[in-house]
Amino acid sequence: LVRGTSEGYLNANLSGRTEPLNPSLPARLRVQTQSFKATSDLPETLTLLDTDIGIDGSLENGFQVDAKGQLPGKEGKIALAVKGLVTTAGAQKFEVRLTGKGAGDARTGTASVTGNLNWEEALALDAKVALDAFAWFNLLPDVEPPPVVLKQLSGDVAYQDGRYNAKLEAVVDGPQGAA
């Protein structure tokens, strides 16, 4: 049984079970924090709020991560959800999803990234991105809504050997009409 509190860089509560003497290091842990900002350089709108992270698995087979939290945003809270299998080599079948105020006429919007991330030898990413009327500019305090509304975005993104490759499709609406 594990119970603890972290203070300083990360103020959090930790609870769960683990077998530290077992070579595969099985564990089921829960980390909860009310507020966390990774660096002081980040704007307040990127402070994680009410974050609850569940971790279940082993060092041998990987840890399934399921996390939920919020970002303050400029115009209301933005829900954050993260899921995936984290191993010593990378993150497999991960999903990062944001849900918040919609852009344009939409009441709510979403943005997500799903895919695989490898860091075993060199950083490599293979992912799909999707945005559906998500007011992304609410994440940044000094950015106003642009005159062109990004209604939808979808595509594939890859990174390997210092090079990006992306194929994206977008639906926008602006002063000159829809495109």
Side-chain angles (χ1 to χ4, degrees):
L1 187 62
V2 175
R3 290 203 187 283
T5 301
S6 169
E7 294 180 3
Y9 176 70
L10 173 66
N11 295 324
N13 294 317
L14 172 72
S15 62
R17 294 187 179 279
T18 186
E19 296 178 37
L21 299 179
N22 184 326
S24 68
L25 190 63
R28 174 176 272 171
L29 301 171
R30 185 172 183 191
V31 179
Q32 296 174 297
T33 182
Q34 290 181 346
S35 178
F36 174 70
K37 187 162 63 163
T39 71
S40 61
D41 298 341
L42 288 175
E44 292 301 316
T45 52
L46 296 180
T47 301
L48 290 171
L49 302 173
D50 302 322
T51 306
D52 189 340
I53 304 167
I55 302 164
D56 189 10
S58 69
L59 194 58
E60 183 176 53
N61 297 318
F63 294 95
Q64 187 65 43
V65 175
D66 188 359
K68 292 181 175 33
Q70 298 179 353
L71 298 167
K74 285 190 309 188
E75 296 183 22
K77 292 185 178 175
I78 299 167
L80 167 67
V82 179
K83 294 181 180 184
L85 179 68
V86 178
T87 69
T88 58
Q92 302 168 5
K93 298 180 183 177
F94 73 82
E95 177 181 17
V96 178
R97 177 176 294 276
L98 298 170
T99 304
K101 182 178 181 201
D105 296 335
R107 292 185 67 181
T108 61
T110 61
S112 67
V113 179
T114 59
N116 296 300
L117 177 63
N118 188 307
W119 53 69
E120 189 169 30
E121 293 182 26
L123 190 62
L125 170 74
D126 183 22
K128 293 191 178 298
V129 295
L131 182 143
D132 187 13
F134 181 72
W136 58 269
F137 44 84
N138 282 327
L139 292 168
L140 304 170
D142 298 328
V143 176
E144 294 300 318
V148 176
V149 176
L150 182 57
K151 295 180 114 178
Q152 290 184 326
L153 174 77
S154 63
D156 299 314
V157 178
Y159 174 83
Q160 189 168 1
D161 298 326
R163 295 182 181 181
Y164 291 95
N165 186 21
K167 181 180 179 188
L168 303 171
E169 294 184 17
V171 176
V172 298
D173 195 6
Q176 302 299 316

